Amino acid sequence: MLFEFLGGLGIFLFGIKYMGDGLQKSAGDRLRDLLDRFTTNPLMGVLAGMLVTVLIQSSSATTVITVGLVSAGFMTLRQAIGVIMGANIGTTVTAFIIGINVGEYALPIIAAGAVLLFFFKNKKVHNVGQIVFGFGALFYGLELMSEGMKPLSSLESFHDLTVNLSSNPILGVIVGTVFTVIVQSSSATIGILQGLFSENLLDLNAALPVLFGDNIGTTITAVLASIGASVAAKRAAAVHVLFNLIGTTIFLILLKPFTLIIGNIQEALNLNPEMTIAFAHGIFNASNTIIQLPFVAVLAWIVTKLIPGEDSVLEYRTKHLDPVFIEQSPSIALGQAKEEVLRMGKFSIHGLEETHEFLKTRLQKHSDNAIQIEDALNNLDRKITDYLIQLATSSLSDHESEEHTMLMDTVRDIERVGDHYENIIELIEYLQANKVKITDSAMEDLEEMFNLTISTVSDSIQALDHNDKEAAAHVVQKEEEIDKMERRLRKQHILRLNEGLCSAQAGIIYVDIVSNLERIGDHAVNIAEAILGEEN
């Protein structure tokens, strides 16, 4: 019985994950853009959260993406609250899918998914195959779990537990919370609850409190995602917990009328047991959102008081790009674009510093910060480039046209700095994963080159800010030092290899890091040379 239940649970969780991954691949980066773009107010956030959760079949995944967006400064706390509320509604779709009860067709669905996965090379067909296979696995896992749970009805101890759950709703909430924290999927625990209810192993009085507990338990994923993240991300995770705790408290107070309503709906619509739980889940989350949506500002205030501290999040959205200036005053628009390029340059320096810290400390938070900044650089690159392309159609003077060209080139160079430090992060992660040791003398050399590279990029951005020819010439000199250093470090690396002081694997990683730092220096000098060219 235990093997069948645990095996079924494993297949169910695999099915949900596999189906969600397939849906995510099909949607690509559009999910993140959807959350980024359509969260202008809490109501839009609710709709965006619902849609994304329906697409990826995981409220936890949506909440984790939201925590990431808040942490990276793409989304405010109030916008995030709306998305989290929407995610709770969107996750009820899984329960409705289970309620359709196509369990007997699970194996043919898996077979159809396998055909699409193994006999077609097209990527889109492959993604569809993954969705279909995951969908079938989800139902097959449920069938196995149901079979495994059937003998429970003959166990005296289980019968006693269900009596206790019926008479003690708080115990039901605790059971639901703990089980979801362990499994880390409210969809799985609600699927199990649907199975227990359909086998008459639980009555409605016992099932509903467990359902409320499932919603509290699912917040653990967001809480784990917020550990080590920004204050804003911690607050977003706290909102998720608070939202479900408040909802559970309200519905526990109204448990008798709510149970009566669900029982009447079951009779009126002639629902099967699985669909009854799905309706209860849907009504609970939708009602909870309707009740709490007007109090978004209050929720934000509460979590700000619960989690104090200044939020160190940088504002990664564009600040200065107003399309009105393109038509009315192209010269002001050009100045605005330059301000945004300078902000982008400062982010690239910050990303480099975080990468340097990651090399020194090997702490994951520095890697995460640097990757988030690289993400922001890509976003700014797209926005600034689009703005400058629109600006190119305006009437610019010869001097303004030169500055426009220089800014287009500079944006590309700054974006490439992000790409190179991302390469370095991957190399450091490889060192960690494979326990490759770099010698102390090699680390000292990398430290020296990192410091020189960061100061060179910083000087090039300063030169751009003040249009300083002298500072730009100084950047060119520094870049020559970086080139000399790269050649010297390569020679020293060969000497260490010959003396057997370091492994070939460590040597390859070391040379690749040095090479990426040298390329970053090249991009810094490109910015400086553009300033020198413009001055001439």
Side-chain angles (χ1 to χ4, degrees):
M1 182 183 101
L2 190 64
F3 287 170
E4 198 165 8
F5 174 76
L6 291 176
L9 177 61
I11 292 168
F12 179 90
L13 289 171
F14 171 77
I16 283 219
K17 175 86 171 66
Y18 204 59
M19 182 169 71
D21 288 349
L23 287 160
Q24 223 161 340
K25 283 178 195 169
S26 298
D29 293 333
R30 282 170 292 183
L31 294 174
R32 197 185 172 113
D33 288 342
L34 188 76
L35 286 176
D36 187 19
R37 199 177 304 164
F38 297 108
T39 51
T40 46
N41 59 58
L43 184 60
M44 287 298 289
V46 169
L47 296 173
M50 277 172 61
L51 184 58
V52 170
T53 307
V54 167
L55 287 172
I56 61 177
Q57 288 295 297
S58 171
S59 61
S60 298
T62 305
T63 311
V64 168
I65 293 169
T66 306
V67 166
L69 287 168
V70 170
S71 187
F74 282 107
M75 192 183 283
T76 65
L77 181 62
R78 287 191 183 191
Q79 288 170 328
I81 292 171
V83 174
I84 288 163
M85 288 176 173
N88 275 14
I89 299 172
T91 196
T92 62
V93 170
T94 312
F96 280 102
I97 291 169
I98 292 165
I100 296 164
N101 202 1
V102 293
E104 58 242 50
Y105 306 112
L107 291 173
I109 293 169
I110 289 172
V115 168
L116 295 173
L117 279 168
F118 293 105
F119 295 101
F120 293 89
K121 298 292 180 194
N122 185 293
K123 207 171 184 181
K124 285 182 181 175
V125 176
H126 206 269
N127 290 340
V128 172
Q130 195 170 334
I131 295 162
V132 173
F133 189 92
F135 188 67
L138 181 156
F139 280 105
Y140 186 59
L142 271 175
E143 286 288 296
L144 287 176
M145 280 194 286
S146 292
E147 288 298 314
M149 287 186 288
K150 272 179 185 173
L152 286 173
S153 56
S154 58
L155 289 177
E156 189 63 37
S157 55
F158 187 80
H159 182 68
D160 293 343
L161 176 65
T162 57
V163 170
N164 287 333
L165 289 176
S166 296
S167 58
N168 189 347
I170 291 168
L171 178 64
V173 171
I174 293 166
V175 167
T177 303
V178 171
F179 196 39
T180 309
V181 165
I182 294 165
V183 177
Q184 287 202 24
S185 169
S186 61
S187 296
T189 46
I190 286 160
I192 293 163
L193 188 63
Q194 286 171 299
L196 288 166
F197 188 60
S198 69
E199 299 290 340
N200 292 318
L201 296 169
L202 283 181
D203 65 6
L204 205 53
N205 290 315
L208 293 180
V210 175
L211 177 73
F212 304 155
D214 290 342
N215 280 277
I216 297 171
T218 195
T219 62
I220 187 66
T221 318
V223 170
L224 293 172
S226 72
I227 294 168
S230 67
V231 174
K234 287 188 175 78
R235 286 172 182 164
V239 163
H240 196 200
V241 177
L242 193 64
F243 173 73
N244 282 305
L245 280 174
I246 292 169
T248 296
T249 306
I250 292 167
F251 276 83
L252 277 177
I253 294 165
L254 303 171
L255 184 60
K256 282 191 176 175
F258 183 60
T259 308
L260 203 65
I261 289 164
I262 298 302
N264 289 337
I265 290 171
Q266 183 180 15
E267 279 181 38
L269 299 178
N270 195 23
L271 300 175
N272 66 27
E274 290 93 346
M275 197 58 90
T276 305
I277 297 294
F279 265 82
H281 191 206
I283 292 166
F284 167 71
N285 279 314
S287 305
N288 194 13
T289 298
I290 292 163
I291 292 164
Q292 295 192 56
L293 190 59
F295 302 103
V296 164
V298 178
L299 285 170
W301 180 81
I302 291 168
V303 293
T304 305
K305 291 293 176 190
L306 285 173
I307 302 167
E310 277 298 306
D311 198 7
S312 58
V313 165
L314 297 160
E315 182 55 69
Y316 289 160
R317 286 171 178 266
T318 55
K319 275 187 173 180
H320 305 96
L321 306 183
D322 192 335
V324 171
F325 290 125
I326 293 174
E327 293 294 323
Q328 293 181 352
S329 178
S331 59
I332 292 177
L334 196 64
Q336 296 287 86
K338 184 176 177 180
E339 285 300 312
E340 208 60 64
V341 171
L342 289 168
R343 282 183 71 242
M344 187 180 173
K346 285 167 187 167
F347 287 152
S348 71
I349 296 161
H350 185 36
L352 263 174
E353 287 167 347
E354 289 288 354
T355 306
H356 188 199
E357 286 300 314
F358 184 46
L359 177 68
K360 288 192 291 185
T361 64
R362 305 294 165 91
L363 292 174
Q364 190 61 38
K365 68 175 182 179
H366 295 300
S367 167
D368 292 343
N369 289 343
I371 293 297
Q372 279 180 351
I373 294 167
E374 206 279 324
D375 211 8
L377 289 175
N378 291 339
N379 180 57
L380 288 170
D381 172 38
R382 286 195 303 272
K383 298 282 169 65
I384 298 168
T385 303
D386 289 347
Y387 190 78
L388 288 170
I389 288 167
Q390 286 176 20
L391 187 57
T393 59
S394 307
S395 52
L396 298 169
S397 67
D398 290 346
H399 177 73
E400 285 169 347
S401 291
E402 283 175 19
E403 189 172 355
H404 179 274
T405 305
M406 183 195 71
L407 289 177
M408 286 284 280
D409 292 340
T410 302
V411 167
R412 190 171 62 248
D413 281 310
I414 294 171
E415 193 275 329
R416 293 293 293 142
V417 169
D419 290 344
H420 285 299
Y421 79 61
E422 188 179 24
N423 291 345
I424 294 170
I425 287 167
E426 286 170 4
L427 291 165
I428 300 166
E429 284 172 345
Y430 181 86
L431 284 177
Q432 276 185 301
N434 294 279
K435 295 184 171 57
V436 178
K437 182 85 172 70
I438 287 180
T439 61
D440 291 341
S441 64
M443 281 301 291
E444 283 169 20
D445 290 340
L446 283 179
E447 179 80 7
E448 187 187 354
M449 191 166 183
F450 241 113
N451 287 328
L452 181 58
T453 305
I454 291 169
S455 72
T456 306
V457 175
S458 187
D459 288 353
S460 72
I461 300 302
Q462 283 290 323
L464 176 67
D465 191 3
H466 304 292
N467 227 17
D468 188 337
K469 187 178 180 181
E470 198 176 321
H474 187 55
V475 170
V476 175
Q477 287 173 0
K478 274 191 165 183
E479 200 276 329
E480 285 169 6
E481 282 181 52
I482 290 175
D483 287 349
K484 284 177 189 170
M485 191 180 286
E486 190 221 7
R487 289 193 291 272
R488 175 167 61 82
L489 297 192
R490 280 178 185 271
K491 283 175 187 172
Q492 286 174 352
H493 155 64
I494 290 164
L495 287 172
R496 277 193 296 269
L497 268 181
N498 290 340
E499 290 170 22
L501 296 174
C502 77
S503 67
Q505 205 176 15
I508 291 164
I509 303 294
Y510 172 81
V511 168
D512 279 353
I513 293 173
V514 168
S515 179
N516 275 287
L517 288 171
E518 190 273 329
R519 296 294 299 280
I520 289 169
D522 289 345
H523 290 294
V525 90
N526 288 347
I527 296 167
E529 283 174 347
I531 296 160
L532 291 168
E534 192 191 343
E535 287 289 327
N536 294 334

